[in-house]
């Protein structure tokens, strides 16, 4: 198990490294000098030159990359152009808000998606199954930012059931949860559909397995067979799905944070773009990418913990 | 049967097949609904100039913030532009980008997938690593980085979509190529001295292209969503060009007083993504039930 | 006393291509403390028979006629879901063919064995003690430790022995063994057969043993049943059937058994023809299309002709088949 976990994390580190090379290459290849971008159109050539050497842009490319890579490994993502604060601090200040948002979205999707998938599987072919199927496809199809804007319009502006903007008062959990409800639902509702479909499909497959027939032949109740014997297997692909889906949720979170005016990584990057605060953009992108890769690896390791077959095959 | 007869028969059979597929789509309520939505969206984009007299970018300060009426079917925005016209013309841009970007992604995915699957092992491994790395960037983050450097443009949207889609397509093509590489008919062709190019285009490509086309058709709504999303953030289509995402952005600022702008921007996105998705799902079930299992 | 008494059982399946008559007028008896073998080609209805007895027919299948009497009283055909569930695993236990897939892969063996005992109301420790005792009986070494392990950590032969232990855990009066050795290699097969024989004596249950392997049936069973295309064509003591088969199908089946060939044949004999289409059964005898003795009489359903104390064959021509052992 430990070896499997280490292997999986090692692969994650390689992927992040390659992603960093690509990020770096993209910055380098794309026309536009980061220093002049950062300083804006009114900067004098001398100012640009000074910033270029301060940012190390006058060095050969491979030195620039190594510097970028190793300082990133040390947690040094550069400093904000205007305030001079370390980018990592700025990013970590916003990260908890985004994490809370994603955690909320996952809660919605798991708490609604798994039961719906089970119900659809148990009543396969019936009316309820068809309704759940169509709704699942529909919520997957509609982009989350449209759902975010429409839910803001309906529940916050028209009905005024829930607050429209912000993250709630600091320290007031109830207020924070109220502010979390709509944005996390907007992100999570599509995943309710994904998970319901996934659980339904793997549940149907599992219920066909011969060990389920054995369980029936031993007189176990249908309830125990469905929710303990079959669900425990049918739920495994969901974990993988969520692990891969985190990247997608980060994307949705950018929109949700902008629509609901919530603090968070997405809003940070979006606002950094408009003021050309370029180190913040790369720093935040790097942190979210690393976060995504780590979560992915953790999902795989979690699968290992939940599924004894995977666990031992890697020992 | 003579060769001549074969050639003559083919077109009619093809029509027959298309007709059968169409009938099977229409037999499914969801497929028929999806097809209807897609037809409406496509026609209204094609005939935008016929369906409305208002130019999509014409300002009319006197008519600002007019709610829906017979004059302005969906109302007007903060600059007095007719939203119905903007929605129809926005559809042109959305569909053009969806088709163009999907086509480009397909070409890129097929070429890279064939190379990875047929080329040497080290190249395959390297490309897989690159694909994983690209996929590890959240789509919007990738777009934000790109746009920071290039500025908002249609081209940026195109690049983002291609970057996001190519790894997935390439992976599928690669896997199928790997399987086919050692299939009997490919071995036979190779032993008879067929060139690599011929093997790839004649013996492998026709066998791997079916599933990828279906998957790509199912990605069209995703591309529509990406374009609208980036335009909503102000990173895609630049004003004053009409785009559904841009309409949402205009309306979002005024959501408390002029809700109809947001409604006008969101509805076409919802209808288009639903239509293409329902149609794609039905197509997939008709053509290749095996794909269904993969989810 | 008779543990299982199936009388004139017919089972139909509704399929897209029409009604499939999977079992037609199947009768058999499993006496107490006996091992009864069921033999037949694949598709002859063995699995349907088991599923009908267990009340686990697929949704599109239904018993259309007949009775399944268990321990002389309850007719399993009319028992409701709860009543049936109370018998399954407690009174009637089953060992299935595929030991690899028969156990739940994500639950430990101990947990699965505890779950079978859920009706006993015993504390967890007592349940585990019973499981350990049973595992020891099926000769799993170090059962205390093994209880915490998962199915994939056992070999195929061990898994099948665990499946047997699970089946016998509640000391059922009837054990149904559905080709329990087919998926195993020959040496394991012998060991499992010996084990089953042993345990059957110890526990004192009856066994309904399904197999297509005539040698195993001869070795293990007191009585046997020959099935063909959803019908019991012949039944009787194993001795009678092997030495004096009276149904033409049984004769041919025995003639095809490689173990019974007197000399090396260059080509193994086969039965000419194919199984009838069960959606469109022939009128009369089900074997007539492949039978050399078939004549006009066979166009009507043959009676179950009694040939001895328990020896019965469903054939019009039992007079002509007498004496000529294969």
């Amino acid at each position: 198990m430990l070896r499997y976990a280490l292997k999986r994390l090692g692969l994650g580190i390689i992927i992040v490294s390659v992603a960093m090379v690509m990020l770096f290459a993209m910055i380098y290849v794309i026309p536009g000098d980061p220093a002049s971008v950062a300083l804006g159109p009114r900067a004098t050539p001398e100012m640009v030159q000074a910033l270029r050497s301060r940012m190390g842009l006058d060095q050969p490319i491979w030195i620039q990359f190594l510097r970028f890579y190793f300082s990133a490994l040390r947690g040094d993502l550069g400093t904000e152009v205007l305030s001079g604060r370390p980018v990592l601090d700025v990013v970590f200040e916003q990260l908890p808000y985004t994490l809370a948002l994603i955690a909320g979205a996952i809660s919605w999707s798991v708490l609604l998606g798994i039961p719906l998938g089970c119900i659809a599987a148990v009543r396969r072919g019936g009316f309820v199954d068809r309704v759940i199927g169509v709704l699942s496809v529909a919520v997957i199809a509609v982009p989350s930012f449209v759902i975010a804007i429409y839910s803001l319009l309906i529940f916050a502006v028209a009905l005024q059931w829930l607050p429209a903007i912000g993250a709630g008062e600091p320290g007031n959990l109830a207020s924070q949860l109220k502010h979390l409800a709509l944005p996390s639902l907007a992100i999570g509702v599509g995943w309710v559909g994904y998970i319901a479909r996934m659980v339904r499909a793997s549940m149907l497959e599992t219920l066909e397995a011969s060990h389920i027939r054995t369980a029936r032949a031993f007189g176990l109740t249908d309830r125990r067979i469905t929710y303990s014997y079959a669900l425990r297997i049918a739920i495994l692909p969901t974990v993988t799905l969520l692990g891969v889906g985190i990247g997608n949720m980060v994307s949705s979170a950018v929109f949700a944070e902008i629509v609901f005016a919530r603090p968070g990584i997405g809003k940070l990057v979006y606002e950094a773009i408009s003021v050309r605060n370029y180190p913040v953009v790369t720093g935040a992108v790097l942190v979210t990418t690393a976060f995504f890769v780590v979560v992915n690896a953790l999902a795989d390791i979690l699968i290992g913990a939940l599924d004894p077959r995977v666990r031992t095959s890697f020992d | 049967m003579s060769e001549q007869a074969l050639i003559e028969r083919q077109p009619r059979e093809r029509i027959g097949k298309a007709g059968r597929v169409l009938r099977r789509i229409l037999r499914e309520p969801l497929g028929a609904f999806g097809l209807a939505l897609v037809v409406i969206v496509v026609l209204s984009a094609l005939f935008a100039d016929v369906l409305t007299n208002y130019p999509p970018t014409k300002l009319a300060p006197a008519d600002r913030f007019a709610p829906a009426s017979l004059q302005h079917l969906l109302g007007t925005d903060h600059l007095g532009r007719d939203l119905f016209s903007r929605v129809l013309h926005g559809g042109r841009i959305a569909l053009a980008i969806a088709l163009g970007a999907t086509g480009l992604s397909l070409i890129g995915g097929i070429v890279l997938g064939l190379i990875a699957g047929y080329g040497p092992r080290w190249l395959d491994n390297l490309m897989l690593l690159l694909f994983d790395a690209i996929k590890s960037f959240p789509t919007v983050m990738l777009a934000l980085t790109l746009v920071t450097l290039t500025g908002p443009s249609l081209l940026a949207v195109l690049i983002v979509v291609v970057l996001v889609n190519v790894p997935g397509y390439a992976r599928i093509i690669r896997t199928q190529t790997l399987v086919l590489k050692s299939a009997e008919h490919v071995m036979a062709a190779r032993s008879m001295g067929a060139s690599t190019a011929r093997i790839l285009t004649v013996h492998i490509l026709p066998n791997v292209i079916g599933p990828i086309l279906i998957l790509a058709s199912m990605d069209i709504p995703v591309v529509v969503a990406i374009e609208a999303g980036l335009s909503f953030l102000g990173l895609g289509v630049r004003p004053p060009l009409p785009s559904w995402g841009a309409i949402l952005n205009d309306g979002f600022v005024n959501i408390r007083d002029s809700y109809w702008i947001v409604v006008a921007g969101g509805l076409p996105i919802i209808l288009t993504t639903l239509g293409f998705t329902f149609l794609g799902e039905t197509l997939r079930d008709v053509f290749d039930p095996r794909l269904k299992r993969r989810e | 006393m008779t543990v299982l008494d199936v009388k004139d059982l017919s089972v139909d399946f509704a399929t897209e291509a029409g009604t499939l008559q999977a079992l037609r007028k199947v009768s058999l008896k499993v006496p107490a403390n006996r091992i009864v073998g069921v033999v037949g080609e694949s598709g002859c209805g063995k699995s349907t028979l088991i599923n009908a007895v267990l009340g686990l027919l697929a949704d599109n299948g239904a018993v259309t006629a007949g009775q399944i009497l268990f321990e002389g009283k309850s007719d399993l055909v009319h028992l409701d879901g709860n009543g049936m569930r109370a018998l399954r695993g407690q009174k009637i236990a089953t060992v299935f063919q595929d030991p690899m897939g028969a156990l739940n892969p994500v639950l430990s063996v101990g947990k699965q064995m505890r779950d079978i005992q859920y009706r006993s109301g015993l504390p967890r420790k007592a349940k585990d003690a019973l499981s350990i005792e049973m595992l020891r009986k099926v000769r799993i070494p170090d059962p205390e430790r093994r209880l915490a392990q998962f199915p994939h950590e056992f070999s195929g032969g061990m898994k099948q022995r665990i499946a047997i232990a699970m089946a016998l855990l509640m000391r059922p009066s009837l054990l149904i063994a559905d080709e329990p050795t087919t998926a195993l290699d020959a040496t394991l097969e012998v060991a499992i057969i010996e084990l089953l024989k042993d345990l059957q004596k110890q526990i004192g249950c009856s066994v309904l043993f399904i197999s297509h392997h005539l040698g195993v049936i001869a070795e293990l069973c007191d009585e046997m049943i020959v099935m063909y295309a959803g019908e019991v064509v012949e039944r009787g003591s194993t001795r009678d059937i092997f030495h004096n088969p009276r149904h033409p199908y049984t004769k041919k089946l025995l003639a095809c058994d490689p173990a019974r060939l007197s000399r090396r044949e260059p080509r193994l004999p086969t039965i000419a023809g194919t199984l009838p289409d069960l959606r469109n059964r022939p009128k009369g005898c089900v074997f007539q299309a492949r039978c050399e003795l078939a004549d006009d009489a066979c166009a009507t359903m043959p009676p179950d002709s009694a040939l001895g104390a328990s020896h019965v064959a469903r054939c019009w021509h039992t007079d002509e088949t007498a004496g000529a052992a294969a």
Side-chain angles (χ1 to χ4, degrees), chain B residues 41-291:
Chain B
V41 169
V42 171
L43 287 184
S44 62
L46 280 179
F47 295 107
D49 293 323
V50 183
L51 290 167
T52 169
N53 290 322
Y54 293 98
T57 52
K58 187 179 173 233
L59 310 184
D63 284 341
R64 294 168 64 211
F65 296 122
S69 65
L70 280 178
Q71 257 94 48
H72 300 285
L73 289 174
L74 292 172
T76 64
D77 66 8
H78 61 296
L79 299 173
R81 294 175 296 196
D82 178 62
L83 285 169
F84 185 62
S85 168
R86 282 182 75 72
V87 164
L88 294 190
H89 285 90
R92 286 184 173 182
I93 289 177
L95 292 181
I97 289 185
L99 292 179
T102 307
L104 281 180
S105 319
L106 266 178
I107 295 170
I110 289 171
V111 170
L112 292 179
L114 287 176
I115 293 174
Y118 206 82
R121 192 62 193 274
W122 63 267
L123 189 62
D124 182 28
N125 286 335
L126 181 71
M127 288 173 83
L128 284 184
L129 196 62
L130 286 179
F131 295 158
D132 277 348
I134 292 178
K135 291 203 101 170
S136 68
F137 290 109
T139 309
V140 175
M141 290 296 180
L142 195 69
L144 291 174
T145 320
L146 206 75
V147 173
T148 323
L149 296 156
T150 64
S153 70
L154 277 180
L155 185 69
V157 177
L158 217 60
I159 295 175
V160 169
V161 171
V162 171
L163 274 179
V164 169
N165 280 346
V166 161
Y169 298 157
R171 247 175 191 283
I172 293 167
I173 294 281
R174 169 201 170 261
T175 315
Q176 300 210 322
T177 307
L178 275 182
V179 174
L180 279 175
K181 200 172 165 179
S182 46
E184 268 172 38
H185 71 278
V186 174
M187 292 295 224
R190 207 178 336 176
S191 69
M192 291 191 305
S195 69
T196 305
R198 189 179 158 77
I199 289 175
L200 286 178
T201 51
V202 176
H203 297 284
I204 292 186
L205 192 57
N207 290 305
V208 300
I209 208 162
I212 202 92
L213 282 180
I214 296 173
L215 280 181
S217 80
M218 299 189 68
D219 275 344
I220 286 183
V222 179
V223 179
V224 169
I226 293 178
E227 185 271 313
L230 292 182
S231 298
F232 169 68
L233 295 181
L235 307 178
V237 177
R238 304 187 67 170
L241 273 184
S243 153
W244 297 335
I247 299 173
L248 275 178
N249 192 7
D250 294 339
F252 180 65
V253 184
N254 304 299
I255 195 167
R256 285 180 196 279
D257 311 309
S258 313
Y259 64 89
W260 57 87
I261 310 179
V262 169
V263 173
L267 267 185
I269 301 175
I270 294 175
L271 295 181
T272 309
T273 48
L274 280 185
F276 275 106
T277 306
F278 286 150
L279 182 63
E281 294 259 326
T282 316
L283 266 181
R284 181 197 55 190
D285 294 353
V286 169
F287 272 117
D288 193 355
R290 274 173 311 149
L291 278 174

Side-chain angles (χ1 to χ4, degrees), chain C residues 8 14 69 101 112 127 145 200 218 224 232 239 247 250 262 275:
Chain C
D8 288 332
L69 297 180
Q112 294 184 56
K127 286 181 185 165
R145 189 175 61 83
Q200 185 262 338
M224 69 183 279
V232 172
R239 198 184 161 71
H247 194 283
T250 317
S262 45
L275 275 170

